[in-house]
């Protein structure tokens, strides 16, 4: 005995198959879609937390406070695509310890992430500078900043 599928039954079966196969794929763009340089703090070769630090963007439009009197072991430095230079102030909120400044020069490059995520900007860091009040040195770990959650800078504290 042969079973005949009606047109409606065939459409329902096709819909179930599509839903089953799409359940195996990703649920859209779940990746980090922003390319942000990540800086971690180090002292004596170990990742450390810096207490009561405030970090803000210098000359950034609007509210530029990234960290406000918090204890952190890392901080993101958002770069602006409309310019090729950003500066960040690190205020240690301790009497007698001057603020430090980190300056970053870069170029932005468009990159295609995926069909779900679309396009984004990557940043290529060409030069950086810093003051040396509480900072001993800064190392550039990855000069190309993508949307990967990877360390870009290591900030070595005194």
């Amino acid at each position: 005995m042969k079973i005949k599928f009606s047109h409606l039954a065939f459409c329902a079966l096709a819909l179930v198959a599509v839903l089953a196969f799409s359940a195996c794929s990703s649920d859209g763009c779940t990746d980090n879609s922003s390319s942000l340089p990540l800086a971690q703090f180090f002292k004596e070769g170990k990742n450390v937390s810096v207490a009561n630090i405030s970090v803000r963007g210098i000359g950034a439009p609007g509210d530029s406070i990234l960290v406000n009197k918090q204890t952190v072991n890392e901080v993101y430095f958002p770069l602006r695509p409309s310019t090729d230079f950003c500066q960040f102030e690190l205020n240690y909120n301790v009497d007698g310890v001057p603020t430090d400044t980190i300056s970053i020069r870069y170029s932005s490059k468009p990159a295609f992430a995926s069909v779900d995520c679309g396009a984004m900007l990557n940043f290529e860091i060409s030069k950086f500078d810093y003051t040396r009040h509480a900072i001993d040195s800064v190392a550039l770990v990855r000069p190309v900043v993508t949307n990967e959650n990877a360390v870009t800078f290591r900030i070595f504290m005194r």
Side-chain angles (χ1 to χ4, degrees):
M1 177 168 136
K2 291 185 178 181
I3 299 174
K4 293 185 178 181
F5 286 104
S6 69
H7 183 62
L8 182 61
F10 179 76
C11 289
L13 185 59
L15 179 63
V16 169
V18 167
L19 290 174
F21 285 121
S22 67
C24 296
S25 67
S26 67
D27 293 328
C29 184
T30 58
D31 294 335
N32 175 13
S33 59
S34 299
S35 300
L36 298 170
L38 175 62
Q40 288 185 332
F41 296 100
F42 284 82
K43 188 169 188 173
E44 298 174 1
K46 294 182 183 178
N47 184 229
V48 296
S49 294
V50 178
N52 202 31
I53 191 171
S54 296
V55 180
R56 71 175 186 90
I58 299 173
D63 185 6
S64 66
I65 295 179
L66 305 171
V67 174
N68 190 17
K69 296 182 180 178
Q70 296 174 343
T71 299
V72 297
N73 66 353
E74 62 185 24
V75 65
Y76 287 97
F77 292 139
L79 302 178
R80 294 189 309 266
S82 60
T83 183
D84 64 352
F85 181 75
C86 282
Q87 288 184 298
F88 300 92
E89 177 186 84
L90 286 71
N91 184 338
Y92 306 102
N93 299 301
V94 176
D95 289 337
V97 179
T99 61
D100 277 311
T101 301
I102 296 178
S103 305
I104 305 170
R105 186 158 304 277
Y106 56 91
S107 59
S108 56
K109 305 204 183 293
F112 179 74
S114 70
V115 172
D116 288 336
C117 296
M120 58 182 222
L121 284 177
N122 290 339
F123 298 98
E124 188 170 339
I125 298 171
S126 56
K127 185 178 180 182
F128 68 97
D129 198 11
Y130 51 92
T131 58
R132 293 176 173 92
H133 301 291
I135 292 177
D136 179 65
S137 62
V138 176
L140 179 61
V141 178
R142 292 177 57 135
V144 177
V145 181
T146 66
N147 69 332
E148 291 180 50
N149 192 22
V151 176
T152 306
F153 292 103
R154 288 190 178 148
I155 302 172
F156 295 94
M157 306 302 293
R158 294 187 187 277

